[in-house]
Amino acid sequence: MSVSRICVVTGGSKGIGAAVAADLSAAGHRVVLAARDREALDRTAKVLPGPVLTVPVDLTAPDAADELFGRVEGAWGPAEVLVAAAGAGASAKLTGTSDELWEQQLALNLTAPFRCVRRAVPSMQAAGWGRIVVVASVAAKTGAPYVAAYTAAKHGVLGLVRSAAAELAGSGVTVNAVCPGYVDTPMTDATVAAIAARTGRGEEQARAALARMQPIGRLIRPEEVAAVVRLLLENEALNGQGITVDGGGVQS
């Protein structure tokens, strides 16, 4: 993307979203950071080298996508890139997964990206150019114990990506997903703490166990995921893909 674009990054205050935002900003793009935590947004915005707009928003609210994209359009114009990186996991046995937990996971990991994609697409189609990348997970491609709700949501969002890509093919708008394994982010820190609490193991042991789940023997770095996002933004021939970034664990 040699031209400077208006890039919306949800979940942009930390983790993968912050790494994507930093990468895009360094490449000369205008970056919109959207997340719930205003203070975290401000901290991330301060270290970006280029123009940045912060939008504190709860993406699980029904009108959040309209609020977010309306703010962007009012300040800079229509969004040209959407990176939907907001998400969170939760762990529970299948029989211990409450309706509330189930709905929470679908709301954040599936419904919120859907609403953002739906809101972003019309102006991208009108312009004849757009890029959408959803940060999914290896859980979009394979199942694991104790994460039924999270896995169902991530499988669903990969289905959304594939269907949207097929529908928009030839319009100049591409839709893809990245599917990371365990990444060295605050979300993984929370997973480590949950494992330690459930099993009685120390957090160092729990973190080492997660690192071993990647064949390369370590956690994935957020910057490595951001580099794949950038590839998907630059290459129109990549469409409808779910690119796994996990050191070779899920080969697809």
Side-chain angles (χ1 to χ4, degrees):
M1 296 192 302
S2 57
V3 176
S4 177
R5 301 289 185 179
I6 299 170
C7 305
V8 175
V9 182
T10 72
S13 64
K14 58 187 176 181
I16 292 171
V20 169
D23 185 81
L24 293 173
S25 184
H29 303 294
R30 288 183 281 177
V31 176
V32 181
L33 301 175
R36 299 184 196 191
D37 188 334
R38 184 185 299 270
E39 292 183 359
L41 283 172
D42 290 342
R43 286 194 298 271
T44 300
K46 286 178 181 177
V47 300
L48 298 187
V52 58
L53 174 67
T54 61
V55 183
V57 64
D58 178 358
L59 289 167
T60 63
D63 60 350
D66 283 337
E67 178 185 350
L68 169 59
F69 285 89
R71 286 278 304 277
V72 175
E73 289 158 0
W76 287 347
E80 298 166 286
V81 172
L82 166 64
V83 180
S91 176
K93 288 185 177 180
L94 178 63
T95 54
T97 300
S98 65
D99 285 356
E100 180 181 16
L101 176 60
W102 178 265
E103 295 295 343
Q104 287 172 345
Q105 287 294 289
L106 265 62
L108 180 57
N109 295 310
L110 177 55
T111 303
F114 160 69
R115 288 173 176 156
C116 287
V117 170
R118 181 178 63 184
R119 181 61 174 77
V121 161
S123 61
M124 293 181 179
Q125 284 182 297
W129 194 95
R131 297 288 182 267
I132 297 171
V133 179
V134 176
V135 178
S137 167
V138 291
K141 296 187 174 183
T142 185
Y146 311 119
V147 285
Y150 178 75
T151 299
K154 290 299 188 179
H155 270 66
V157 86
L158 185 54
L160 166 67
V161 162
R162 289 168 169 165
S163 183
E167 184 172 331
L168 297 170
S171 69
V173 182
T174 65
V175 189
N176 292 285
V178 290
C179 300
Y182 285 102
V183 185
D184 192 5
T185 64
M187 180 174 165
T188 296
D189 293 341
T191 301
V192 167
I195 292 171
R198 187 176 68 242
T199 64
R201 286 187 288 179
E203 291 197 3
E204 288 188 10
Q205 290 178 301
R207 184 175 293 276
L210 294 183
R212 288 194 297 272
M213 293 181 72
Q214 280 73 226
I216 55 177
R218 62 168 174 82
L219 298 176
I220 306 302
R221 293 188 291 271
E223 294 78 13
E224 292 171 319
V225 182
V228 177
V229 171
R230 179 161 26 89
L231 172 65
L232 293 170
L233 301 183
E234 292 172 349
N235 192 331
E236 188 176 7
L238 291 170
N239 193 30
Q241 303 305 306
I243 306 225
T244 306
V245 188
D246 74 339
V250 177
Q251 299 180 356
S252 62

